[in-house]
Amino acid sequence: MPASMTFESAAAAGAAASVALQGLRDAGQIKPGQKVLINGASGGVGTFAVQIAKSFGAKVTGVCSTGNLDMVRSIGPDQVVDYTQEDFTQKGQCYDLIFDVVAKLSFSACEPALGPKGIYVTTAFSPGLALGGLWSSMTGGKKLVPLMGKPPSVQDQVFTKELLEAGKVKPVIDRRYSLSEVPEALRYLEGGHTRGEIVITM
Ligand SMILES: NC(=O)c1ccc[n+]([C@@H]2O[C@H](COP(=O)([O-])OP(=O)(O)OC[C@H]3O[C@@H](n4cnc5c(N)ncnc54)[C@H](OP(=O)(O)O)[C@@H]3O)[C@@H](O)[C@H]2O)c1
């Protein structure tokens, strides 16, 4: 934990930052200068994914709804798309990497917006998706990569710590709950509209 950080911020950075890193770096093979789109940019993982993708030197587009546009803009993407107004897959833009953090899309829906070697990473996982991923990796071209989240390694935690210390990544905390409010916190989380992370304070 960076010495300058509060416990709340450090707690918010743990798992979500690790999923973002695994999705972009390991599954998505992100490279500097690439065009990267984050679907679900306003959520717990998405707010980290936008910032981590920027730290890799990518040109980042964040997709969120109208009410979250300002918050997402504040974490530094190059562009934002309001999914309630526009369908980014139909805008004639191509991305090297689409990270569907909230798993609301599909490989086939995103295909028109993927470059010739574009990668679609999704947090959804099923045997069918795994087979589809295997097939796409054998056939060249555009790839589907279902993200199999795993516990962060020590190296990944050190990597995240350094980004936090350098100020390249800042946790976005939506709400704080006390321990006795955990059921309410979980209900809010399950609603699927958190803005960044929620934290239980003890
Ligand atoms: N957060 C973590 O610490 C964590 C840890 C491990 C694994 N994961 C996994 O990572 C995945 C993502 O988790 P998360 O915590 O980032 O999710 P989340 O915070 O629950 O995502 C909520 C966000 O998704 C946005 N959203 C909802 N529908 C959308 C749509 N159709 N298009 C674009 N954005 C949409 C919401 O914005 P609007 O309200 O504007 O719709 C909201 O800001 C999940 O599979 C989760 O299990 C998360």
Side-chain angles (χ1 to χ4, degrees):
M1 175 175 156
S4 59
M5 250 182 138
T6 63
F7 284 112
E8 285 184 3
S9 293
S18 161
V19 174
L21 185 60
Q22 288 173 19
L24 293 166
R25 183 197 60 190
D26 304 343
Q29 299 164 35
I30 191 170
K31 292 177 190 64
Q34 281 190 330
K35 288 179 73 180
V36 173
L37 180 136
I38 311 294
N39 188 48
S42 52
V45 175
T47 46
F48 282 104
V50 168
Q51 299 176 80
I52 292 174
K54 283 299 298 177
S55 79
F56 274 95
K59 296 188 184 74
V60 181
T61 299
V63 179
C64 63
S65 68
T66 316
N68 287 324
L69 285 172
D70 286 346
M71 184 275 281
V72 171
R73 280 195 190 104
S74 77
I75 55 172
D78 299 275
Q79 287 184 359
V80 287
V81 174
D82 180 347
Y83 74 80
T84 69
Q85 303 296 319
E86 289 181 286
D87 178 354
F88 75 86
T89 64
Q90 304 300 319
K91 285 182 70 179
Q93 295 283 324
C94 277
Y95 298 91
D96 301 296
L97 169 60
I98 295 177
F99 184 12
D100 187 5
V101 174
V102 284
K104 297 279 183 185
L105 302 167
S106 66
F107 180 53
S108 54
C110 289
E111 249 190 303
L114 282 172
K117 296 268 179 193
I119 301 180
Y120 170 75
V121 176
T122 176
T123 52
F125 192 81
S126 69
L129 271 176
L131 276 177
L134 197 60
W135 174 251
S136 73
S137 65
M138 286 159 57
T139 50
K142 304 176 187 184
K143 287 188 174 43
L144 159 66
V145 185
L147 178 63
M148 294 180 69
K150 49 185 196 290
S153 63
V154 172
Q155 288 90 337
D156 283 1
Q157 290 182 59
V158 171
F159 188 91
T160 305
K161 175 177 173 275
E162 287 172 357
L163 287 178
L164 291 161
E165 282 173 339
K168 292 183 175 170
V169 168
K170 292 191 177 105
V172 176
I173 299 179
D174 180 359
R175 294 185 185 180
R176 294 157 176 82
Y177 292 90
S178 66
L179 196 55
S180 63
E181 294 170 325
V182 164
E184 194 189 320
L186 289 177
R187 274 193 293 275
Y188 180 57
L189 194 65
E190 284 168 359
H193 295 289
T194 55
R195 305 171 82 224
E197 288 286 284
I198 62 164
V199 173
I200 310 299
T201 55
M202 298 172 73

